[in-house]
Amino acid sequence: MVRTKMSPAERAKQFIPFAALKGFPEALREKEKMIVPRAELSEEYQEELNRRLLQIKKNDIINLVYFHRGEYLKMSGIVTAIDKTSKSLKVVNTIIKFDDIYDIVTSETDEGG
């Protein structure tokens, strides 16, 4: 039997990682998330959040916690848009509804909670 010499490109293909279960690691991470119910905020705390929202301007840097698909997420970034009609805030490229915000801290407010 005569062996033909393998090209470097063909030889390199042997060492490319093979994912037999494509998407499986991501599915596992998704399963690890704990789904939590949305917290009920007191009227006083809702008023405080509204006061903080009114102080926010485009290009402010903010830190916030918001509810999204059964979990609370933390985010920091620059406010790129505020839409009072749709009651949403855009932080970098993420649009967050006012009603989903659990906590918000600007450079002008103290740590909230």
Side-chain angles (χ1 to χ4, degrees):
M1 177 194 283
V2 178
R3 284 192 181 171
T4 58
K5 192 169 184 182
M6 203 181 281
S7 74
E10 296 227 357
R11 184 165 164 69
K13 284 182 189 176
Q14 292 179 345
F15 299 100
I16 294 175
F18 175 69
L21 301 171
K22 199 169 201 152
F24 187 66
E26 292 82 11
L28 278 178
R29 272 196 281 325
E30 193 67 31
K31 268 295 212 194
E32 291 172 352
K33 290 181 184 176
M34 289 187 76
I35 305 298
V36 295
R38 185 187 302 255
E40 287 293 322
L41 306 178
S42 69
E43 276 189 47
E44 296 83 18
Y45 190 68
Q46 287 178 6
E47 289 173 11
E48 174 65 19
L49 280 178
N50 287 335
R51 186 182 64 73
R52 292 182 197 175
L53 277 168
L54 290 172
Q55 294 176 347
I56 294 173
K57 299 176 291 303
K58 189 175 177 182
N59 297 322
D60 281 354
I61 297 173
I62 63 170
N63 299 303
L64 56 87
V65 177
Y66 66 101
F67 189 79
H68 180 71
R69 296 185 179 174
E71 65 181 330
Y72 284 93
L73 303 173
K74 285 185 178 183
M75 173 181 247
S76 297
I78 296 173
V79 176
T80 53
I82 301 169
D83 187 343
K84 292 181 181 177
T85 305
S86 69
K87 296 183 179 180
S88 64
L89 180 65
K90 188 173 184 182
V91 180
V92 187
N93 291 321
T94 304
I95 297 172
I96 302 159
K97 295 284 187 186
F98 291 170
D99 289 343
D100 292 335
I101 297 172
Y102 178 75
D103 191 20
I104 191 163
V105 180
T106 65
S107 57
E108 298 167 6
T109 59
D110 297 327
E111 287 294 318

